[in-house]
Amino acid sequence: MLTFVGLGLYGTRDITLRGKDAVDKADYVFAEFYTSKLLGASVEDLEKFFGKKITLLSREEVEKGKILIESASKGNTVLLVAGDPMVATTHVSLKILAEERGIKTEVIHNSSIITAAPGMLGLQHYKFGRIVSIPFPQANYFPTSVYDFLAQNMKMGLHTLLLLDINPRPMTANEGMEILLKMEEKKKLGIINGDTLIAVVARAGAPDAAVKAGYMKDMLKENFGPPLHTLVIPGKLHFAEAEALVKLAHAPKDILEE
Amino acid sequence: MLTFVGLGLYGTRDITLRGKDAVDKADYVFAEFYTSKLLGASVEDLEKFFGKKITLLSREEVEKGKILIESASKGNTVLLVAGDPMVATTHVSLKILAEERGIKTEVIHNSSIITAAPGMLGLQHYKFGRIVSIPFPQANYFPTSVYDFLAQNMKMGLHTLLLLDINPRPMTANEGMEILLKMEEKKKLGIINGDTLIAVVARAGAPDAAVKAGYMKDMLKENFGPPLHTLVIPGKLHFAEAEALVKLAHAPKDILEE
């Protein structure tokens, strides 16, 4: 048996009771923090909390699946994952692989930044376009396809959730905004400038979670504290959404008049 | 203090430890099942589980907020909500209202069908367009704007998550598909017919959760069992996604050749 257990957004107590039950019953407990990170708890914290040894797997070990499949064929095996486990494609492949080998699988869902971030800002889920993800630029590789997707969402008046790279370290909101400006410079679609309204969600699910909305030129000067950070570029705002951004995220009041 | 606690997808044990802590510390516990439903547990089950009286609120009582604000100004008050609490706009308004009255608020996130359904089908989150919601048709009102949004997603090759109405009762996948066909008949955009690939997610998060993908003409004849149901119309499939639909949701194998 292989059970994928979502740890949720931040700390040890974000696991569900069902998730905790699965860990308690497990013969082997693994974790991976490559596809998603849990900022409020280390592997040691989790070991202490569950009273069990946890083996941290590398990206390659998760992708190859050998260790997990072998373990799951011997006993109840849990893979701990931050957020909602099946958001990562690699876990979908692993689930398929396990089932092909005759191993039963189970998924214990949990919260994800995908629903938490819009909710924290008071933006309607129905009005989000496709999610984009901002990778760290590489020496010879500066992908700008995410910029085209952002442009597409903006053209349709939809909000965009922009997830920030977490490898080799979590990207800050400020770095994300600077990369967006560089993409604009390169592609010149005229969609991002200093007057673009943008929102930052910092440490979703943490006791010191924070949201802030404002114009890019002002937001670039702010410090949003420790990771994880997520960006949202709002599209056309319903009045209730604009009000929520002002009340919950201290957006400038002039957005209420637009 | 007013704490919004997400109950997650299905039963009593889907609450997080943090959510359970908040209920344990609460002086007053309320629940609402208008914006989202918990199919695996009744209010009585929850009362027994938490060992506390729970007051079920109507839509109007939640929207007016009077009862909750009064309670939260007297003591620790929890509002239990299925799924992730801030997905519903009415809870965002309530949070703003409470904070304007000087009441501290907290949100305890949980899993939502918005991330669970795509994950159960092995479809990539990055490739979903805007979410649409299929309401029950009224005597003189048959809104088809959702059909335009679906058409927009399809044109861009994006997947569409179609949430089904839960009031006055949960809509079945079959009813949802029939409404889609009626919309097609009315708007004639030529986007939906018997050969359209569609996926059904039934009872996400439940022990008997099930997924099934197939062509609309065949899917219409199937019985997906008790609610809740959710539909997904896949856009352009990556090979790994097509494979996941075949392996996890028994989609016809010919989708691998397209």
Side-chain angles (χ1 to χ4, degrees):
Chain A
M1 174 88 173
L2 176 60
T3 308
F4 298 85
V5 175
L7 289 168
L9 293 170
Y10 184 75
T12 48
R13 298 190 77 75
D14 288 336
I15 195 169
T16 66
L17 298 179
R18 267 187 75 199
K20 176 82 163 53
D21 293 345
V23 178
D24 290 344
K25 279 188 301 187
D27 300 305
Y28 311 99
V29 184
F30 296 89
E32 73 86 8
F33 294 120
Y34 183 83
T35 61
S36 179
K37 280 206 190 326
L38 197 69
L39 262 281
S42 64
V43 174
E44 292 72 35
D45 294 334
L46 291 166
E47 285 189 325
K48 210 175 285 175
F49 179 72
F50 292 120
K52 287 207 169 175
K53 175 159 176 33
I54 298 173
T55 308
L56 184 67
L57 298 177
S58 68
R59 178 184 185 175
E60 288 68 29
E61 286 168 328
V62 178
E63 284 174 358
K64 281 185 188 154
K66 193 168 174 284
I67 296 171
L68 287 162
I69 298 291
E70 277 179 11
S71 165
S73 60
K74 285 188 292 182
N76 282 328
T77 299
V78 159
L79 177 63
L80 297 171
V81 182
D84 193 17
M86 286 296 134
V87 167
T89 3
T90 175
H91 303 147
V92 173
S93 308
L94 192 57
K95 181 174 150 78
I96 292 172
L97 184 66
E99 291 186 357
E100 283 174 345
R101 304 288 166 87
I103 294 164
K104 236 192 113 197
T105 68
E106 192 181 2
V107 178
I108 299 181
H109 294 283
N110 209 321
S111 50
S112 162
I113 190 70
I114 293 174
T115 56
M120 286 169 72
L121 294 166
L123 297 176
Q124 291 170 21
H125 288 268
Y126 295 99
K127 291 175 59 192
F128 275 78
R130 77 189 285 175
I131 296 168
V132 306
S133 190
I134 306 183
F136 278 112
Q138 306 293 317
N140 299 308
Y141 182 61
F142 187 67
T144 53
S145 61
V146 301
Y147 207 67
D148 297 325
F149 299 146
L150 173 63
Q152 219 173 36
N153 285 344
M154 289 176 100
K155 208 177 131 188
M156 292 188 288
L158 299 174
H159 311 320
T160 305
L161 178 68
L162 302 111
L163 301 175
L164 305 179
D165 206 346
I166 55 168
N167 293 302
R169 58 171 179 82
M171 184 187 289
T172 65
N174 307 67
E175 288 173 316
M177 289 189 277
E178 273 153 24
I179 293 172
L180 285 175
L181 289 171
K182 256 187 222 153
M183 289 183 181
E184 172 64 45
E185 224 174 86
K186 208 166 159 181
K187 306 219 45 159
K188 295 193 172 55
L189 295 178
I191 57 169
I192 295 278
N193 59 50
D195 294 323
T196 304
L197 184 67
I198 190 161
V200 171
V201 174
R203 298 170 300 286
D208 64 339
V211 289
K212 177 85 183 82
Y215 296 115
M216 186 90 92
K217 60 184 175 228
D218 305 317
M219 296 286 278
L220 275 165
K221 294 176 206 153
E222 302 231 7
N223 179 347
F224 304 100
L228 299 176
H229 296 172
T230 307
L231 296 173
V232 172
I233 296 186
K236 201 170 149 39
L237 293 166
H238 182 276
F239 181 77
E241 292 180 311
E243 199 186 40
L245 281 184
V246 169
K247 295 272 172 67
L248 301 174
H250 307 287
K253 286 197 178 116
D254 57 15
I255 68 166
L256 295 171
E257 288 142 33
E258 276 164 25
Chain B
M1 173 86 173
L2 177 59
T3 308
F4 299 84
V5 175
L7 289 167
L9 293 170
Y10 183 75
T12 49
R13 297 189 76 74
D14 288 336
I15 195 169
T16 65
L17 299 179
R18 267 187 75 197
K20 175 82 163 52
D21 293 344
V23 178
D24 291 344
K25 278 188 302 187
D27 301 304
Y28 311 100
V29 184
F30 297 88
E32 74 85 9
F33 294 119
Y34 183 84
T35 59
S36 181
K37 280 206 190 327
L38 198 68
L39 262 282
S42 64
V43 174
E44 293 70 35
D45 294 334
L46 289 167
E47 285 188 324
K48 210 176 287 172
F49 178 73
F50 292 120
K52 287 208 168 174
K53 172 152 178 38
I54 298 173
T55 307
L56 184 67
L57 298 178
S58 68
R59 177 186 185 173
E60 288 68 29
E61 286 169 327
V62 177
E63 284 174 357
K64 281 185 188 158
K66 192 167 173 286
I67 297 171
L68 287 163
I69 298 289
E70 277 178 11
S71 165
S73 59
K74 284 188 294 184
N76 282 328
T77 299
V78 159
L79 177 63
L80 297 170
V81 182
D84 192 18
M86 288 295 132
V87 166
T89 1
T90 175
H91 302 148
V92 173
S93 308
L94 191 57
K95 182 174 149 76
I96 292 172
L97 184 65
E99 291 187 355
E100 284 174 344
R101 304 288 167 88
I103 294 164
K104 236 192 113 196
T105 67
E106 193 180 4
V107 178
I108 298 180
H109 295 283
N110 209 322
S111 51
S112 162
I113 190 69
I114 293 174
T115 55
M120 287 170 72
L121 294 165
L123 297 176
Q124 290 170 21
H125 288 268
Y126 295 99
K127 290 174 60 192
F128 275 77
R130 75 189 284 173
I131 296 168
V132 306
S133 189
I134 305 183
F136 277 113
Q138 306 294 316
N140 298 308
Y141 181 63
F142 188 65
T144 54
S145 60
V146 302
Y147 206 68
D148 297 325
F149 298 144
L150 173 62
Q152 219 173 37
N153 286 344
M154 290 177 100
K155 210 178 130 189
M156 292 188 287
L158 299 175
H159 312 320
T160 305
L161 178 68
L162 302 112
L163 301 175
L164 305 179
D165 206 346
I166 55 168
N167 294 302
R169 59 171 180 80
M171 183 186 289
T172 67
N174 307 66
E175 289 173 315
M177 288 189 277
E178 273 152 24
I179 293 172
L180 285 175
L181 288 170
K182 256 185 223 153
M183 288 183 183
E184 172 64 46
E185 224 173 86
K186 209 168 160 181
K187 306 219 47 160
K188 296 192 173 55
L189 295 178
I191 57 169
I192 295 278
N193 59 50
D195 293 323
T196 304
L197 184 67
I198 190 161
V200 171
V201 175
R203 299 170 298 288
D208 65 339
V211 289
K212 177 88 184 81
Y215 297 114
M216 186 91 92
K217 60 183 176 231
D218 305 316
M219 295 287 279
L220 275 164
K221 294 175 204 154
E222 301 230 9
N223 179 346
F224 303 99
L228 300 174
H229 296 171
T230 306
L231 296 173
V232 172
I233 297 186
K236 198 168 153 37
L237 292 166
H238 182 276
F239 182 77
E241 292 180 310
E243 200 188 38
L245 281 183
V246 170
K247 297 272 172 67
L248 301 174
H250 306 287
K253 287 201 177 110
D254 57 14
I255 69 165
L256 296 172
E257 290 143 32
E258 276 162 26

